[in-house]
Amino acid sequence: MIVVVAPGQGSQKPGFLEPWLADPQLAELLGSLSAAADVDLVAHGTTSDADTIRDTAVAQPLIVAAGILTARALFDRVDRARVAGVAGHSVGEFTAAAVSGVLTDTDAVALVAERGRAMAEAATQAETGMSAVLGGDQAELLARLDELGLEPANYNGGGQIVVAGELTALAALAEQPPAKARVIPLQVAGAFHTRHMQPAVERLRTAASAVTTADPDLTLWTNHDGSVVTEGARFVDLMVGQVSSPVRWDATMESFSAAGITGLIELAPAGALTGLAKRALRGVPSVAITTPDDLQAAVDLIEGAA
């Protein structure tokens, strides 16, 4: 049982789509996704610098488009019915929605582009940010967050929680972290997955109401609580609400384990989720697809699970 996963924001690197565009069909697909997003994803995936693609309004459609391209290339080589299911981390849920048939490729990218713009705008309303907290006691950390007015944003498993809120409070956390915990500031524009993103939720909900959904034709796990969602409209509703609520990737991985997953494949821009899986799903083989050269290893993993 192989699960396909899609990464979230922060995984992108300058030029990472360059090798994929040697395939004319993928180049054409990226062009159509660029038009749907009203963002030049070809330039941002090949020539734009790190600062440009760090912009939330650029990063989110770029990451989702990359995952869609990768999935298309993978399933051109192996029957998609042979994978056990799909999930995405944060913005990667839009990739998962496309891969599972809940949204069309173009609707997924158009909707996530609106998400990126809405979250970027919400982030200008206050001086906020995010930090990764590694190690320490979770209960102690959550109590400290309450003291400082911070919120847990991503429960990533493997002893990692990303927290978010006002920059002054994040600085105070770094100065006095919980015992045995390390606080690492992240290069992001705002406090994603917290109350600070509530204005973006309302804007995204309006955009999502105009999109047609279908029920998934692959098993589809949600970051909301790690459960399987069988109704497309419900999944989109959870994606909208997730903008201001925590990502429970820890629960998603626990569900993988309970389902008996025997392998994990991460779509481009890959690396973060396979890293988390090595700590939380010990012994489960994984493949990170970063370039077309990695596709054969992914195919082999799927075919070997038959």
Side-chain angles (χ1 to χ4, degrees), residues 40 102 125 142 175 189 255 260:
D40 190 347
V102 168
Q125 304 305 305
L142 294 178
E175 289 172 6
S255 293

Side-chain angles (χ1 to χ4, degrees), residues 4-7 86-96 220-223 235 242 247 249 252 273:
V4 172
V5 298
V86 62
H89 183 283
S90 185
V91 75
E93 287 206 304
F94 285 78
T95 311
L220 179 61
W221 287 272
T222 170
N223 287 171
F235 190 74
Q242 182 208 65
V247 172
W249 190 248
T252 304
L273 300 184

Side-chain angles (χ1 to χ4, degrees), residues 1-5 84 252-266 273-288 301 305:
M1 296 180 66
I2 308 300
V3 65
V4 172
V5 298
T252 304
M253 289 194 293
E254 288 167 6
S255 293
F256 293 164
S257 183
I261 293 302
T262 58
L264 180 144
I265 295 169
E266 183 178 3
L273 300 184
T274 50
L276 292 173
K278 286 174 183 174
R279 294 192 291 273
L281 299 170
R282 294 186 184 278
V284 174
S286 62
V287 173
L301 186 61

Side-chain angles (χ1 to χ4, degrees), residues 89-289:
H89 183 283
S90 185
V91 75
E93 287 206 304
F94 285 78
T95 311
V99 172
S100 65
V102 168
L103 296 173
T104 66
D105 292 348
T106 51
D107 280 348
V109 172
L111 193 58
V112 81
E114 181 65 11
R115 180 188 193 263
R117 289 187 289 265
M119 292 175 72
E121 184 175 321
T124 66
Q125 304 305 305
E127 293 290 327
T128 61
M130 305 177 80
S131 295
V133 181
L134 307 179
D137 178 75
Q138 181 170 309
E140 183 182 350
L141 171 61
L142 294 178
R144 180 76 172 126
L145 297 184
D146 282 342
E147 291 174 7
L148 295 171
L150 295 170
E151 298 176 53
N154 299 345
Y155 291 84
N156 284 333
Q160 181 188 120
I161 296 179
V162 175
V163 303
E166 295 186 3
L167 294 179
T168 52
L170 289 171
L173 177 67
E175 289 172 6
Q176 289 187 300
K180 299 180 181 179
R182 188 158 54 102
V183 179
I184 303 172
L186 302 178
Q187 296 296 314
V188 296
F192 303 147
H193 304 296
T194 70
R195 66 184 183 278
H196 296 282
M197 290 292 112
Q198 192 57 42
V201 171
E202 302 310 318
R203 182 168 160 182
L204 184 59
R205 181 170 286 119
T206 298
S209 67
V211 173
T212 299
T213 64
D215 292 340
D217 57 9
L218 289 173
T219 300
L220 179 61
W221 287 272
T222 170
N223 287 171
H224 176 69
D225 57 6
S227 63
V228 170
V229 179
T230 58
E231 298 176 357
R234 166 72 173 156
F235 190 74
V236 171
D237 185 57
L238 289 173
M239 289 198 301
V240 171
Q242 182 208 65
V243 169
S244 63
S245 63
V247 172
R248 294 304 305 260
W249 190 248
D250 59 337
T252 304
M253 289 194 293
E254 288 167 6
S255 293
F256 293 164
S257 183
I261 293 302
T262 58
L264 180 144
I265 295 169
E266 183 178 3
L267 302 174
L273 300 184
T274 50
L276 292 173
K278 286 174 183 174
R279 294 192 291 273
L281 299 170
R282 294 186 184 278
V284 174
S286 62
V287 173
I289 303 178

